Amino acid sequence: MDIAALSVVSNQVQLKQQASISVMKMVMNTSQEQTNAMLAMASGISNEMELSVNPQLGSQLNVLV
């Protein structure tokens, strides 16, 4: 068995694994960002829906002195 060829193959496998892990991390980060954006959008929509159902809420402030 050729030690040099085995070393080259081993390094290529390691490089492929590192590249796969890097791509997987980028995908996970992108997914997390998209999830955060969707959650922010959903909370904004729920606030708008609340105002459309109860438009009088928050329109007056009663202050007693």
Side-chain angles (χ1 to χ4, degrees):
M1 196 184 305
D2 187 16
I3 301 296
L6 185 60
S7 175
V8 169
V9 169
S10 175
N11 286 336
Q12 287 177 345
V13 169
Q14 185 179 10
L15 179 64
K16 286 181 182 179
Q17 287 176 343
Q18 289 174 348
S20 295
I21 290 172
S22 295
V23 170
M24 185 172 50
K25 285 181 181 180
M26 288 186 335
V27 169
M28 289 173 57
N29 288 340
T30 302
S31 296
Q32 184 65 39
E33 290 172 3
Q34 289 176 347
T35 301
N36 291 340
M38 285 178 51
L39 289 173
M41 185 174 59
S43 69
I45 290 173
S46 66
N47 289 340
E48 290 175 8
M49 288 180 63
E50 176 68 29
L51 289 175
S52 69
V53 173
N54 299 317
Q56 74 278 3
L57 290 180
S59 62
Q60 295 179 359
L61 178 64
N62 296 331
V63 178
L64 297 174
V65 179

